[in-house]
Amino acid sequence: MTFAAFDFTPLYAPGLPAPAARWNGRVKFDFTGGNNDPDRLPLDGLITAAESVLRREGRGLAIYGVDNGPQGYRPLRDFLAGKLKADAGIACTADDIVLTSGSNHGLDLVNGTFLTRGDTVIIEEDCYQSAINRFNRIGTNIVGIPLDRDGMRMDALSNALDDLKRRGVRPKYIYTIPTVQNPTATVLPVERRQEMLKLAHAHGVLIFEDDCYADLTWSGQRPPAIFAMSERGGVIYVGSFSKAIAPALRVGYVVAPWDVMSRMLALKTDAGSGALEQMVLAEYCTRNFTKHVPELRRGLRAKAETLIESLREHFGAAVEFDEPKGGIFLWVKLPDGVDTMKLYDSALAKGVAINPGQQWSVNKEHSRSRLRLCFASSSHEEIHQGIAALAEVCRRDFGVSTLSK
Ligand SMILES: Cc1ncc(COP(=O)(O)O)c(C=O)c1O
């Protein structure tokens, strides 16, 4: 559609982010985003659940929030309270949970409740791009803490907190993705969780725990949530159905004490997040979640193995990575000379989309030659072909030698 020419530019509010690019569809070999595996989507189960819950309770959609109040559809919050207790060790009730439009909405509510321009937040230095963008947009100072194979390094966290204290800065929170971190897929061990709690308490800092990949550890085991381990409170927890069921459903949640919940609800002015998704999820998950998730994990793990095999075959000794402990991403290091921001353009021209490391890190030097690959949404065949095409671009445009060790 073409619109009559009108110059909106002088009217825009100050401080808007850069304009979005137009959506041109997904490319043939798409290793970007946090997408899920279409073949593992429990479609039949969701169809059955939708039909049964709509026949039984569909008329409730005539009332905002299906008459369950601003925290969202109660049966889904009841399911979550049970699941969080069983899996993450979190003792909470439906009253401690608010359902949101994806956990990104949860990030906005928590950030909106606590952060203002000039505040300091501590994060894993390689971190979820959208969280980094949100902190930048609010105008916070971000302190990145390096990770090793076991996630955020507690020695570095301790030093950073001491350093900030010396400078008279009290950070608002430590934002962490401790269980299958994005992008590194590391899992923070229990001892480090204890240490983080100790440090946070000593410095009067909150912990903001983002746990959206926690269902996807290959072993099916996970350490208790930091939220569950805290004896003094001071932890806010956010989760999502995007990674265990489907990201297009847009259902996430925040767990917080009423003191914080009541502040978040005052900021949640959307008159309720989509109730239809909440109803279908409650109906489906109550009966099927514990059966579905192990099947999803098995499928994702097989794809991770295909990706690793393809990288070894087509890149030889030119790639380095730690094997992921679960999830949907591999965080890959190419030789130092490769700038993955440039690789992004060259690869896209050949129909391969990657996430360049610098967009997933606040350490620009360390992430320059790194990239994130999502293995969930491509088929095994596409993974093989896409990685072969990416290796060809690396050889041709970046002089990467892809011989085996
Ligand atoms: C760490 C992390 N948090 C939050 C989200 C947001 O997920 P959603 O809004 O789909 O629940 C993502 C999505 O990729 C993520 O990786």
Side-chain angles (χ1 to χ4, degrees), residues 34 102-104 107 128 175 177 182 210 212-213 240 242-243 250:
S103 54
N104 267 314
L107 297 192
Y128 176 40
Y175 166 79
I177 311 163
N182 180 1
D210 184 344
C212 66
Y213 297 98
S240 177
S242 290
K243 312 303 169 181
R250 309 310 304 134

Side-chain angles (χ1 to χ4, degrees), residues 30-33 35 37 185 218 299-307 324 326-330 373-380 383:
D30 189 354
F31 296 108
T32 65
N35 295 308
D37 183 347
W218 299 152
L300 292 174
R301 185 171 197 177
K303 287 193 172 179
E305 281 161 9
T306 297
L307 175 60
I328 54 176
F329 303 119
L330 192 68
L373 298 171
C374 173
F375 49 78
S377 54
S378 304
S379 67
H380 290 270
I383 294 174

Side-chain angles (χ1 to χ4, degrees), residues 90-204:
I90 294 177
C92 69
T93 71
D95 293 333
D96 307 313
I97 300 172
V98 57
L99 301 174
T100 54
S101 301
S103 54
N104 267 314
H105 185 200
L107 297 192
D108 287 336
L109 291 178
V110 177
N111 289 344
T113 302
F114 290 103
L115 299 182
T116 189
R117 180 167 292 279
D119 278 344
T120 295
V121 290
I122 296 179
I123 68 173
E124 284 119 7
E125 73 175 10
D126 304 322
C127 181
Y128 176 40
Q129 181 196 32
S130 200
I132 298 175
N133 290 348
R134 283 175 156 77
F135 294 138
N136 280 330
R137 184 149 159 63
I138 294 165
T140 55
N141 304 312
I142 303 177
V143 177
I145 308 295
L147 304 101
D148 61 18
R149 286 180 180 189
D150 286 327
M152 191 190 284
R153 276 179 34 207
M154 289 305 115
D155 59 329
L157 175 64
S158 175
N159 290 341
L161 284 165
D162 287 344
D163 180 51
L164 288 166
K165 190 173 180 187
R166 264 193 301 277
R167 294 193 277 125
V169 177
R170 179 174 163 191
K172 276 289 172 64
Y173 40 69
I174 302 164
Y175 166 79
T176 178
I177 311 163
T179 316
V180 192
Q181 204 260 353
N182 180 1
T184 60
T186 49
V187 176
L188 197 74
V190 176
E191 304 71 40
R192 287 200 191 184
R193 292 172 192 239
Q194 266 154 357
E195 185 63 18
M196 187 187 286
L197 279 164
K198 221 166 83 192
L199 289 168
H201 176 67
H203 289 265

